[in-house]
Amino acid sequence: MFMHLAKPIYQTPDSQIENTSLEIINVSRRGFVGGATGLTFTLALAACAPKKSESKSKSEAPLPDHSTVESGPLVLISIAADGRTQITNPRSEMGQQVITAVAQMIADELDVEWDKLVIEQAVGDSKYGDQNTDGSTSIRNHINRFRMAGALMRHMLTQAAANEWGVDISECSSKLGTIEHSSGKILTYGDVAKAASKLDVPAEASVTLKRRDQWRYIGKDKPSFTIPDIIHGKGTFGIDVRVPDMVYAVIARPPTVFGKIKTLDDTAALAVPGVTKVMKLPDLQGEVAAFQPLGGVAVIATDTWAAIKGREALNVTWDAGSNANYDSDLYGQELRATARKPGEVKRNRGDVDSAMETAAKKVTADYYAPHLSQAPMEPPAATARWTGDKIECWACTQNPQAARTTVASLCGIPEENVTINVTLLGGGFGRKSKPDYVAEAALIAREVGAPVKVTWTREDDVRHGYFHSVSAQRMEAGLNEDGLPVAVLHRTVFPSINSTFGAADQGSDFELSLGATDSPWNVPNMRVEVGKAEAHIRIGWLRSVANVYHAFAQQSFAAELAHAAGKDQKDYLLDLIGPDREIDLSKDGVIYPNYGASIEEHPLDTARLKSVLDKAASMAKWGRDVPKGHGLGISVHRSFLSYVATAIEVAVDSDGNITFPGVWVAVDAGTVVNPANTKVQMEGGTLYGLSNALYGEITAKDGAVVQGNFPAWRVMRLSEAPHNLEVHIMESDAPPGGVGEPGTPPAAPALANAIFAATGQRLRTLPLLGQKNRLTMAGEG
């Protein structure tokens, strides 16, 4: 049971709604028992409830509001007197089924019936721990915390029952919402919830987690809590939010970052029916954008369409500022030139230069990947309402705590005066972890003196986002007589994400660790360098971040080396990876964050890498004869602590049109909480990677992004998707890795390798079907 509105309307607890049978109430007052530290919870997404005039059962009688409880694992759980279990989800749901996964992890250890679960969404608050839902972290970083929360609550309920019976806790056991004594006596969780709420939370060391063979929900295909509501139109997304007396706003933003208003005539805009106000927003302050709004002109109206028409009627000219001359084509040429020059060494093994000089054969290749837009299905949207010096916001945000901090800072109020309610997200891919749009709503609402919903159109989203970085890379290898590399040089150049938050003129160690400095190749001489690159638009993270372009270059180059050596792609990759081992990158001077995880717990394990490669090849029936115009390509990559191999069969017709007879993906993500959802994430990540590999490209002219909407920002269509996409999950007892992002990086190089196998044309520039690539023409050599 996932509690959401039956209608896409949000109201406050004390609001009266006319002509409707629904009212929004504070669900934390609905009778869930609590009182001790961590045993109550705060809820943000409201639930359908009877009107106040309707009678309520005893178990639903209002209780004191305990929303100010301290932080702790049990803040996520509450037990009702009738035995219902409420789990408060602290992560953002954007289609990855994190709500279901969180429920599986907590409920398994709590030992409750699945059908009696109620799920609610947490507001942005540090008491819930890390809420930033990106980096594929929801399971890999939090499985132990969520499991422990369930185990602690189970222990407290069991102790409460033992106290009531006057027996030792060792004589009691739990089973699906009940406590049973060895004598046969039984109490339900609801029977002892109030008593349990008065107990101290035990030390984690005193609580034993279930063994893997005792898991009831973890590792199983439990059904989604959200999908049934969403397909029936009951889910509330950021764009759906409405509050009483709300007005609507769209914003004309400067075309360039750090651009400013030069002149403004709003006469025609104010004459548009429904437009009530035009206001200037503050310009970007300081030298970095961070999460600040871009500034510009807001048009406020009685509905979104009137606001859009009012914006169209504005007569505004812009001072383009310091980024006025940014031209992505010229910039790309500069990056390519930089990639051919020595850079700062970030990994060094052996003597690359000497080995290159004595190599039997030398192979070089230059790769290029453009800026990308995350382009989630639902563009950013946020609603804000002020009450005195306090503000409440509703937003489709991946990072509600950052939204809270940003709003408080820009509005000059304490964080405790800011409430961020998290709606469902219609996709995120990293864009919605940057809360500039929430701050826009807050600033406008304060000026207008009424609740305001800010809507980003698709053009706004594509032109004014935080873009995936552009990259130029140079790969060089010296081969011995057997065709194997004795030396490899990988040089990468890209504007860093860090440039959005501070001074940065080259890629960071973290970004380099995403597919460059963490290369698993067993080569005696290896060097990785990074070149200088200044940013001229806002750089942000996108699904799998720098792994996208680094994997494209590395895995494409591996196939090029195999061809130069006259060997099979897959067999050559296995030789490149070398023997089974755990790689110690520190020996090569690498600063390796390992996705924030312990290298002891999550080593870089070549055996796991080779296993998924072999499996994907087996799934694709690698080595078989394929029809003329068909080709098989393969790649393998570790990212976010998971190992993924992708094999692709393409068919290329005489006009250069590409179809996909088959795509095969093998993933080793360690312990998997929900196999069905993991497969869906692999499918989605692969399609996302294929779409961007084929068509994704953001360009800029005179400092402004050129693309605005579909099809200028082209995505893969349903008719273009693979005819067959199979995913295999490797059995593993290893700690969990990520699953939201690792499916994306191997897609582009596997596709490029398949195209080469089908046509003999090597495409090293993304997008593969962009203006710089034509399969009916000669390849890039």
Side-chain angles (χ1 to χ4, degrees):
M1 178 183 179
F2 181 65
M3 303 180 74
H4 259 300
L5 291 178
K7 295 182 180 180
I9 301 173
Y10 271 75
Q11 300 288 347
T12 58
D14 54 354
S15 298
Q16 301 293 327
I17 306 176
E18 298 179 358
N19 301 321
T20 178
S21 61
L22 297 178
E23 166 184 318
I24 294 186
I25 66 170
N26 185 336
V27 192
S28 65
R29 296 179 180 270
R30 295 191 64 203
F32 288 91
V33 174
T37 298
L39 277 176
T40 54
F41 49 86
T42 304
L43 300 175
L45 288 183
C48 299
K51 284 187 174 180
K52 291 179 180 178
S53 59
E54 297 182 17
S55 63
K56 296 182 179 181
S57 68
K58 182 178 179 181
S59 66
E60 291 181 323
L63 292 178
D65 188 355
H66 301 292
S67 62
T68 58
V69 296
E70 300 174 17
S71 62
L74 300 188
V75 74
L76 305 173
I77 308 168
S78 192
I79 307 293
D82 64 0
R84 287 172 299 153
T85 300
Q86 178 151 310
I87 292 174
T88 299
N89 170 50
R91 314 294 289 171
S92 294
E93 177 61 70
M94 49 193 147
Q96 83 281 37
Q97 303 306 311
V98 70
I99 284 175
T100 303
V102 169
Q104 286 179 260
M105 291 181 280
I106 293 177
D108 206 322
E109 292 291 344
L110 182 56
D111 204 4
V112 291
E113 292 184 79
W114 187 259
D115 293 341
K116 288 189 177 181
L117 290 177
V118 176
I119 311 297
E120 290 294 344
Q121 183 67 38
V123 297
D125 195 313
S126 59
K127 70 182 180 181
Y128 294 111
D130 173 28
Q131 291 181 272
N132 184 18
T133 312
D134 62 14
S136 298
T137 57
S138 290
I139 292 175
R140 69 179 177 90
N141 280 8
H142 301 284
I143 184 171
N144 290 336
R145 179 168 73 99
F146 292 143
R147 290 181 64 203
M148 182 56 69
L152 288 169
M153 177 67 92
R154 169 168 49 87
H155 182 92
M156 295 173 73
L157 293 164
T158 305
Q159 184 64 64
N163 292 347
E164 182 164 330
W165 289 324
V167 300
D168 190 83
I169 191 173
S170 64
E171 300 175 25
C172 307
S173 60
S174 67
K175 183 178 180 181
L176 293 178
T178 63
I179 309 296
E180 183 173 350
H181 183 247
S182 56
S183 66
K185 292 183 290 186
I186 294 177
L187 288 170
T188 69
Y189 282 4
D191 293 334
V192 297
K194 189 170 184 178
S197 72
K198 298 175 182 178
L199 300 176
D200 292 333
V201 178
E204 292 186 5
S206 67
V207 175
T208 302
L209 296 176
K210 290 184 178 181
R211 300 187 310 273
R212 188 176 292 262
D213 62 0
Q214 294 175 315
W215 288 349
R216 186 184 301 273
Y217 304 132
I218 297 173
K220 308 298 192 300
D221 290 335
K222 301 306 294 181
S224 169
F225 277 98
T226 56
I227 289 176
D229 276 357
I230 290 171
I231 63 177
H232 287 94
K234 296 179 181 180
T236 302
F237 294 83
I239 196 67
D240 297 326
V241 173
R242 298 179 189 173
V243 298
D245 304 319
M246 184 176 76
V247 293
Y248 301 78
V250 297
I251 299 168
R253 298 172 183 83
T256 59
V257 178
F258 289 105
K260 299 179 180 179
I261 300 168
K262 183 184 292 184
T263 64
L264 171 64
D265 182 352
D266 59 10
T267 305
L270 289 168
V272 172
V275 173
T276 59
K277 187 178 180 67
V278 173
M279 63 171 282
K280 294 182 180 180
L281 290 172
D283 296 327
L284 269 178
Q285 301 299 310
E287 298 181 354
V288 294
F291 294 147
Q292 297 181 73
L294 290 169
V297 184
V299 178
I300 297 94
T302 55
D303 59 76
T304 302
W305 182 248
I308 291 173
K309 301 307 290 183
R311 180 172 66 174
E312 291 174 358
L314 286 173
N315 184 3
V316 58
T317 61
W318 305 97
D319 176 353
S322 58
N323 294 306
N325 295 323
Y326 180 51
D327 182 303
S328 56
D329 285 341
L330 295 176
Y331 185 76
Q333 294 175 25
E334 294 173 4
L335 291 186
R336 288 177 186 266
T338 301
R340 295 183 178 220
K341 302 173 184 177
E344 182 180 349
V345 176
K346 290 294 186 176
R347 181 178 183 179
N348 193 46
R349 178 196 302 160
D351 187 341
V352 169
D353 295 334
S354 296
M356 286 285 192
E357 290 178 3
T358 60
K361 185 175 186 179
K362 187 173 180 180
V363 181
T364 64
D366 295 303
Y367 300 92
Y368 183 82
H371 288 298
L372 299 172
S373 170
Q374 295 90 354
M377 183 177 293
E378 174 201 31
T383 300
R385 179 184 59 203
W386 286 87
T387 304
D389 64 348
K390 296 183 178 181
I391 184 171
E392 186 170 14
C393 301
W394 295 259
C396 46
T397 175
Q398 292 177 244
N399 194 349
Q401 291 179 27
R404 191 185 196 197
T405 299
T406 300
V407 168
S409 176
L410 290 176
C411 294
I413 59 175
E415 280 196 26
E416 56 264 29
N417 287 13
V418 181
T419 300
I420 303 294
N421 300 304
V422 183
T423 68
L424 292 175
L425 285 66
F429 309 120
R431 171 59 183 98
K432 292 176 183 173
S433 57
K434 297 94 172 170
D436 55 327
Y437 55 100
V438 187
E440 288 176 336
L443 292 169
I444 297 170
R446 183 162 63 178
E447 175 71 19
V448 172
V452 172
K453 175 160 72 176
V454 170
T455 298
W456 283 50
T457 64
R458 176 61 62 197
E459 289 83 359
D460 296 334
D461 177 46
V462 171
R463 289 179 176 146
H464 301 293
Y466 291 77
F467 299 96
H468 181 62
S469 191
V470 57
S471 169
Q473 296 175 80
R474 174 79 168 180
M475 301 290 296
E476 300 180 5
L479 307 184
N480 62 20
E481 296 293 344
D482 295 327
L484 291 174
V486 293
V488 168
L489 170 66
H490 182 180
R491 193 177 292 132
T492 179
V493 186
F494 55 93
S496 174
I497 290 170
N498 288 355
S499 65
T500 298
F501 304 97
D505 62 358
Q506 68 180 33
S508 66
D509 290 328
F510 171 71
E511 290 161 300
L512 291 165
S513 76
L514 310 182
T517 55
D518 62 341
S519 171
W521 292 1
N522 187 35
V523 179
N525 304 285
M526 179 184 292
R527 189 165 73 239
V528 178
E529 301 174 3
V530 62
K532 301 291 186 182
E534 299 280 351
H536 298 284
I537 58 177
R538 296 193 296 184
I539 305 298
W541 44 100
L542 169 146
R543 193 175 198 170
S544 76
V545 207
N547 286 292
V548 172
Y549 42 81
H550 287 148
F552 173 63
Q554 187 193 81
Q555 292 294 298
S556 293
F557 193 56
E560 294 205 50
L561 296 181
H563 180 71
K567 297 184 178 182
D568 175 79
Q569 286 181 60
K570 188 265 293 185
D571 292 341
Y572 194 87
L573 253 182
L574 289 172
D575 288 340
L576 267 180
I577 297 169
D580 295 351
R581 67 198 187 283
E582 294 180 357
I583 299 175
D584 183 357
L585 295 171
S586 66
K587 292 181 178 179
D588 296 341
V590 176
I591 298 173
Y592 189 58
N594 198 31
Y595 300 90
S598 161
I599 196 69
E600 290 75 26
E601 188 174 6
H602 289 276
L604 207 168
D605 188 339
T606 61
R608 296 174 71 184
L609 195 67
K610 291 191 295 181
S611 291
V612 293
L613 178 60
D614 279 331
K615 183 60 181 180
S618 174
M619 294 165 68
K621 297 181 173 59
W622 190 266
R624 60 186 162 89
D625 292 332
V626 296
K628 182 179 180 181
H630 288 229
L632 287 168
I634 199 164
S635 67
V636 64
H637 190 70
R638 176 188 186 264
S639 67
F640 302 93
L641 312 179
S642 292
Y643 303 77
V644 179
T646 301
I648 295 177
E649 180 180 354
V650 298
V652 184
D653 67 19
S654 58
D655 294 324
N657 299 310
I658 296 175
T659 55
F660 297 90
V663 175
W664 300 270
V665 178
V667 55
D668 181 348
T671 297
V672 169
V673 170
N674 190 307
N677 291 340
T678 297
K679 288 183 178 180
V680 170
Q681 285 296 290
M682 287 297 117
E683 292 169 353
T686 300
L687 292 173
Y688 195 80
L690 290 177
S691 180
N692 283 332
L694 289 169
Y695 307 114
E697 183 175 25
I698 290 292
T699 60
K701 193 76 174 175
D702 298 325
V705 171
V706 173
Q707 291 73 23
N709 205 328
F710 310 114
W713 169 254
R714 179 80 155 83
V715 297
M716 177 183 280
R717 299 178 177 128
L718 183 61
S719 61
E720 297 170 325
H723 302 168
N724 176 55
L725 202 171
E726 298 178 21
V727 175
H728 176 83
I729 301 172
M730 309 292 283
E731 290 289 334
S732 176
D733 292 340
V739 298
E741 300 174 81
T744 297
L751 174 56
N753 294 339
I755 290 172
F756 178 80
T759 67
Q761 298 180 56
R762 173 59 64 180
L763 302 179
R764 304 188 185 105
T765 299
L766 295 177
L768 300 175
L769 296 186
Q771 294 181 0
K772 297 178 179 65
N773 292 321
R774 285 289 181 269
L775 287 179
T776 53
M777 300 168 61
E780 296 177 77

